[in-house]
Amino acid sequence: MKPTLQTVADEVGVSRSTVSNAYGRPDQLSPELRERILDAARRLGYAGPNPTARSLRRGRAGAIGVLFTDVLSYAFKDPFAVRFLQGLSLAAERHSTGLLLIPIPDDADAARAAVRNAAVDGFCVFCVAEGHPARQAILERGLPVVGTELHATDPEMLAAGVDEVAATRTAGAHLTALGHHRVAIIADLLHPALGPLTTPVRGPEDVSYQGDRERMRGYQQAWEKAGLDWDEVTIINVAGNSREAGLDGAARALDRRDRPTALIAFSDVIALGALDALRARGLRAGRDVSVIGFDDIPQAAEAGLTTVRQPAKEKGRIAGELLLDPPATAEGRRVALPTELIVRASTGPALDGRN
Amino acid sequence: MKPTLQTVADEVGVSRSTVSNAYGRPDQLSPELRERILDAARRLGYAGPNPTARSLRRGRAGAIGVLFTDVLSYAFKDPFAVRFLQGLSLAAERHSTGLLLIPIPDDADAARAAVRNAAVDGFCVFCVAEGHPARQAILERGLPVVGTELHATDPEMLAAGVDEVAATRTAGAHLTALGHHRVAIIADLLHPALGPLTTPVRGPEDVSYQGDRERMRGYQQAWEKAGLDWDEVTIINVAGNSREAGLDGAARALDRRDRPTALIAFSDVIALGALDALRARGLRAGRDVSVIGFDDIPQAAEAGLTTVRQPAKEKGRIAGELLLDPPATAEGRRVALPTELIVRASTGPALDGRN
DNA sequence: TTGAAAGCGGTACCAG
DNA sequence: CTGGTACCGCTTTCAA
């Protein structure tokens, strides 16, 4: 039988309360008694109050839940996600809180169950598509929830995000100013749980993820503003947010007869894959074909990738703080982070017959 | 007031047990009653049984704890660690269990507290040095613990690991066969919590981490077997397991007057950094200087890095299975995984005056 | 400074 | 198929 508070109390000849105090409120008893209690505990192999029982009593789980699809692989593969998690963990550490990673099973019922069974004080919804069953289950828990979409539809939702539309509108203006109009967008736009990946994506309304949808809107607005035809934009949906996916998607774009003059990736990892595709074809980025990304991960600088910078770690940190210490006012509950267009060598004037 | 089981029971006019059964054992009550209960729950905004309370009653936390130092950054940065975690999460998912990431605070007392307060069913000790205070605290919890050291000193400890000594003995033989004897070892060998990072490392006994210690032993044995002088081996301790650390460490080795003919990294990320250092000096890997790594992460193949392959994801998966379903027999509690020397272009004959 | 008592929200056995 | 009844292990007033 594992020792409990009672075991120790009996051993020392005091009450449970006193033993509890020895651990949680050292100032409530004499140092000698405390020492005696701790000694006895050590002797009995008692490792301290049971965390679960303590959580139940205190009404605080001591962890925040982070949901992941694809057995975590996405989360760990994208340097942006990694930085975000680092920020989140920073906030968690500050509040003596753990991070509970919850792998979301593919099955919808199992996914809901996973959410319902998570002993957490709040959830961070990171890259979970809006219609996903797990998302609904999270809202039902009635716990604080933080996301990265500044304009999330649910009013209860906390958010640490950037103005995606404005960010890509600027990025788009950069491209149109360089004379690009026949371009291809490459991104992981469709969530598999919501429908077949072959669904054609014509515009923002077909995109599963809110962030990506807004990014597309920004580019659309830039095209409008420049008086360009959105139909000249090819939208290529790829499976997954990864360098390999970017390579595939870019290959599909580059091997068309009317090769686009620029490739727009919705993340840097995808953009990096696009650069790989260019290289494989002997094409020079920023000269033959322009490439633009999103995030500004460290590798983007090395690769000379033009991209939109967003503060990844800070985003995570603020998301964590929002969750662990929710502001009282509605305004404080949505924090907007800045973005910046970082122009590097991968974008240049459009090389186009018509120019 | 948040609704509880009782609230729902009262609403429907049944007992708590029945409501509990409606969630946990659907076969214990009529479908109609169950529907009525679930309906009422929905109406009242009851999201299902409180996970903490359930855990307490069931005696199962539903999560395994994974300890991390350095606010998780190490864990997320090394592709090997990422794969390991993926494997771990795979096992966790199979057992409907979450992964609780526990950032270990620098302060020893806080670290112990973090371990004691974790509501978990077991711990996975991944890259936590042997003398680390958190490690002691883990053992005290009396929960199952899995590590990656096959020859861990604690008999209770479960393990999914490789024969590090044999692996590097083979790798070392490869190098000595190529004529290398004046080499440099580059690795993150000293744990900061255990003493200053400037402590000189002369041999295996000075290394903080068991795995690294054994890797060094393997190389030492290869040197002995080849009749070479271990004193010709320079040991360079770097801070952290990262590409940057590898770059730094290699720089220190390459800029010496008696430049080593080969660089031995204890991880591929460090080896990749070493390749960066070579490149920066116009040196060709495998021609001017040889480089060998450990792990065989995907980037190793791209970089043409000779390395020791170990099954990262499988290691994590097995660690998870061991933890969640500990074998009864002592033999089954330590699983040995295979390693393989993968020879690529980064190693070649020693370029040495004396050869 | 110490202790008694009342839960925190459930689960599971067992009787009906 | 349903309900009564003990707990799970701890924290926290409140009195002594």
Side-chain angles (χ1 to χ4, degrees), chain A residues 5 16 20 46 57:
Chain A
L5 254 190
R16 274 149 57 200
S20 176
Y46 178 70
R57 182 61 233 234

Side-chain angles (χ1 to χ4, degrees), chain A residues 66-79:
Chain A
V66 187
L67 268 66
F68 289 101
T69 37
D70 305 324
V71 283
L72 305 184
S73 53
Y74 166 74
F76 293 136
K77 266 184 185 157
D78 186 343

Side-chain angles (χ1 to χ4, degrees), chain A residues 22-45:
Chain A
Y23 284 95
R25 331 179 129 185
D27 52 316
Q28 297 292 299
L29 70 177
S30 65
E32 308 87 70
L33 179 54
R34 184 172 130 89
E35 227 11 88
R36 258 176 58 214
I37 291 176
L38 263 30
D39 257 10
R42 216 164 296 139
R43 216 166 38 242
L44 294 165

